[in-house]
Every structure is written in structure tokens, then in C-alpha cells.
Amino acid sequence: MRIVVAMILALVAGCAPKPAVPEKPLKTLDGTITYRQRIALSPDAIVKVWLQDVSKMDAVAEVLDEVEIRNPGQVPIAFRVRYDPDRIVEKHRYTLLVKIYEGDRTRFLNATSYPVITQGCTDRCEIVLDMMQ
């Protein structure tokens, strides 16, 4: 009988909820996107923002976060990317890549590099896009 009671107690203890491990808070980088042309975006416009590590020469950038904003309205367009501060290496270079698509066409993108986190903007950025021809 004692063995049965011990087994039942062990089973019940194994089913008890485990204490939640608190997640480390992510840092955020907020900003706005604009462009110089006086052109309205269509309702089907999509904005994509990538936070990337571009430190490695001749290699594809590592994406730390990607944000997609559908039907963003008109400029300025607010955005927020998140990143784990433990993944940031002080000697690395991080940038934002921003594109606005209309249909299957890239309408605007940032031709200028926007360094962030370690060598530039740390918590709020304004990104000015260039119109694609």
C-alpha cells in the first residue's frame, strides 16, 4: 500500500506546474520612416524593416529582427524592432534595412546605411528612404 501511495504522490508531483522561468527582456529600437517625394502610398503597401549584423565581410547579414507593416498609411511611419542585448557584440556593426513594397515592386528603400546600437542610433531613429525608378 505504501508503494502505491508513493507512486501516486510521485505522479501528482510530476504533473504540478513548473515555476515559470522569467524571460529576459528584449531591448527595442523605435523610429520613423519617411521619404522626400510627395507621393501617397497605396493601401496595399507593405513596409519591411530588418535589424541586421553586417560585420562579416563577404557574408550575408545576420538578421536579428524583422518587422512587416501592412497598410502602413502615409509617412511618417512608426516602427519598432526588438533585439536580445546578450547577442550584441560591441565591435560588430548593426544597421537597419528598410523597404516599402507596392505589389511585387520595391517602391522605396534606404540607399544610405543607418548604423544602430553600437555605432549609431541607440533607441530612436529616423530613416529617410529613396524612391526606386
Side-chain angles (χ1 to χ4, degrees), residues 2 6-7 26-27 30 37 49 56 60 65 67 69 84 86 95 97 103 109 112 114 121-122 127 132:
R2 288 184 191 169
M7 289 174 65
L26 297 177
K27 287 198 168 191
D30 296 313
Q37 291 77 10
V49 181
K56 297 175 184 166
V60 176
D65 193 19
V67 176
I69 305 166
D84 180 352
D86 291 341
T95 64
L97 172 61
L109 66 77
T112 303
Y114 284 89
C121 169
T122 57
I127 309 297
M132 300 299 298

Side-chain angles (χ1 to χ4, degrees), residues 69-100:
I69 305 166
R70 292 185 171 274
N71 192 10
Q74 303 308 317
V75 294
I77 301 163
F79 71 89
R80 171 176 283 166
V81 292
R82 293 178 171 83
Y83 63 93
D84 180 352
D86 291 341
R87 290 182 63 193
I88 301 302
V89 178
E90 277 303 312
K91 293 181 180 179
H92 283 201
R93 186 171 181 337
Y94 302 91
T95 64
L96 291 173
L97 172 61
V98 180
K99 293 183 181 182
I100 298 178

